[in-house]
């Protein structure tokens, strides 16, 4: 099989790498990908993920068996609808189904209609009304811009002043543009956070092993929210019962609800969950694989990812098996991220770690940093403690001048 992956980050690197393991796969193209992926034999295609027409032409010319979409933007732009209209196979939700991620209001209504446990919320388009509601509810409280705001549209406000400031920035100062015209004000949920992803085809849900991301920039969950600074799997403090309850009460009703909505979902469904005292509750749905969760979860998959996707596209039962190994992955970010950061840094090498490249460019054949999150370095071992030790020993030995990374990825699993 010849496959095409849309996207260019660490998540797409991990997906492409796993697909290449399959004896059935001869070639994996990635559009646009990044130069770091070439090390693993992934072929780069210089077409933007927004240029559906050129991607379709490429897939036809190169007889691509099917295409896999990594990021949310092309999904929300209807890349699946466009490929299907051209008679091409593609795995991911269509534009309507991707609204489960693209619109918080859509996701909240789906949960309400299907009794899926989530934080209580109200939607506001009026700034004064939102302020009045927040004053009535008090802090802690969560403020979310409806629509996408590059992962930065969420404020977990611990004080009333912080909450009101977030509303002013979003609704009065339009810091996130149109995304802030509509704001969701949500109850603060207290508990361990975890990510549960599943392969979904209409009503069928095939869950993956869970992972825990670290969203804050600095050790001890301090600092600003980021796209994710590292992750690990398994998550021993999240019991099998909690995961089962999340599958039964969250993922399956969500898939069923999407059918009732006439927006059936096929693709990767990502539930960002909090294990509260009253069971798991949803903080967000995504219509795609998570980054960095994918880099942690896919190495634990022992069955064939290419066969799984092919089976789902052909309406057959996929086979999913997982290893007991632990994986810990640490993101190496440019100093200053998620604020302003330097670009063009040399990219370090690591002994005995698996590296997934993200914010990397080709500088005359050399790898240079171009993004905030530059790469994720991961280690696999029989326990989380061993994997942690392995990853940090190699990171300490490397020259990481100009970069920073969290030193406590996986620490919560050790308590
Ligand atoms: P999101 O972009 O929706 O994933 O939110 C970013 C981060 O904010 C999440 O990973 C959580 O750590 C936190 N968060 C979001 N919603 C809530 C909530 N209702 N209660 C507590 N924390 C939340
Ligand atoms: N790791 C969080 C996300 O992919 O949305």
């Amino acid at each position: 099989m010849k496959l095409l992956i849309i996207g260019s980050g660490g998540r797409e690197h991990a997906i492409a790498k796993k697909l290449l393991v399959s004896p059935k796969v001869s070639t994996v193209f990635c559009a646009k990908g990044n130069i770091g992926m070439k090390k693993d034999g992934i072929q780069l295609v210089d077409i933007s993920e927004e240029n559906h027409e050129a991607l379709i032409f490429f897939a036809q010319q190169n007889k691509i068996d099917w295409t896999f979409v990594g990021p949310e933007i092309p999904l929300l732009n209807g890349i699946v609808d466009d490929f299907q209209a051209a008679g091409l196979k593609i795995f991911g939700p269509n534009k309507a189904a991707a609204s489960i991620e693209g619109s918080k209001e859509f996701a909240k209504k789906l949960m309400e209609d299907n009794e899926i446990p989530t934080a209580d919320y109200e939607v506001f388009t009026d700034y004064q009304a939102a302020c009045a509601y927040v004053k009535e509810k008090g802090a802690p409280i969560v403020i979310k811009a409806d629509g996408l705001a590059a992962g930065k549209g969420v404020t977990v406000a611990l004080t009333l002043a912080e909450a009101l400031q977030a509303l002013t920035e979003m609704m009065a100062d339009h810091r996130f543009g149109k995304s802030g015209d509509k704001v969701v004000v949500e109850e603060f949920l207290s508990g361990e956070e975890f990510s549960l992803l599943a392969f979904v085809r209409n009503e069928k849900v095939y869950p993956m092993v869970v992972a825990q991301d670290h969203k804050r920039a600095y050790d001890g969950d301090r600092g600003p929210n980021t796209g994710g600074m590292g992750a690990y799997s398994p998550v021993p403090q999240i019991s099998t019962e909690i995961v089962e309850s999340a599958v039964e009460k969250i993922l399956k009703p969500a898939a069923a609800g999407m059918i009732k909505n006439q927006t059936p979902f096929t693709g990767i469904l990502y539930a960002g969950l909090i294990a509260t005292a009253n069971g798991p509750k949803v903080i967000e749905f995504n219509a795609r694989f998570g980054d960095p969760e994918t880099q942690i979860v896919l190495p634990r998959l022992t069955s064939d990812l290419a066969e799984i996707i092919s089976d789902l596209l052909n309406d057959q039962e996929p086979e999913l098996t997982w290893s007991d190994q632990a994986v810990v992955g640490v993101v190496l970010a440019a100093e200053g991220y998620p604020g302003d950061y330097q670009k063009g840094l040399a990219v370090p090498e690591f002994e005995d770690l698996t590296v997934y490249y993200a914010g990397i460019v080709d500088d005359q054949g050399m790898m240079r940093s171009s993004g905030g999150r530059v790469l994720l370095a991961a280690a696999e071992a029989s326990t989380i403690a061993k994997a942690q030790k392995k990853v940090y020993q190699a990171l300490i030995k490397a020259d990481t001048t100009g970069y920073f990374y969290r030193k406590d990825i996986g620490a919560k699993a050790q308590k």
Side-chain angles (χ1 to χ4, degrees), residues 104 119 142 144 151 154 156 186-190 193 215 225 274 283-284:
K104 300 257 181 219
V142 182
K144 299 186 177 186
V154 176
V156 180
E186 202 174 87
E187 169 199 6
F188 172 80
L189 297 176
S190 168
E193 194 170 339
K215 293 255 168 76
N225 260 317
I274 292 194
I283 49 173
E284 65 166 345

Side-chain angles (χ1 to χ4, degrees), residues 148-210:
L148 299 168
K152 292 180 187 151
V154 176
T155 301
V156 180
L158 299 179
T159 63
L160 188 59
E162 250 182 283
L164 293 172
Q165 191 192 335
L167 287 178
T168 306
E169 284 179 4
M170 282 179 205
M171 302 186 86
D173 303 343
H174 304 285
R175 207 173 129 203
F176 301 113
K178 271 192 169 314
S179 287
D181 290 351
K182 206 186 267 174
V183 163
V184 178
V185 179
E186 202 174 87
E187 169 199 6
F188 172 80
L189 297 176
S190 168
E192 281 276 331
E193 194 170 339
F194 66 106
S195 308
L196 172 60
L197 286 77
F199 297 93
V200 174
R201 187 189 158 89
N202 299 324
E203 78 287 358
K204 300 265 191 170
V205 171
Y206 306 93
M208 304 186 207
V209 291
V210 300

Side-chain angles (χ1 to χ4, degrees), residues 20 23 42 49 90 125 127 174 204 244 280 359 386 397 400:
L20 270 173
I42 298 153
E49 62 190 43
I90 183 162
T125 49
Y127 171 61
H174 304 285
K204 300 265 191 170
E244 273 168 13
K386 284 183 189 160
K397 276 194 214 155
T400 55

Side-chain angles (χ1 to χ4, degrees), residues 11 72 101 151 195 213-215 226-231 270 284 286 288-294 373:
R11 163 183 53 208
E72 64 277 18
E101 169 163 6
S195 308
D213 189 6
H214 296 61
K215 293 255 168 76
T226 70
M229 293 299 294
Y270 167 129
E284 65 166 345
N286 292 320
R288 49 159 177 88
F289 265 118
D291 192 338
E293 289 91 336
T294 308
R373 291 191 300 165

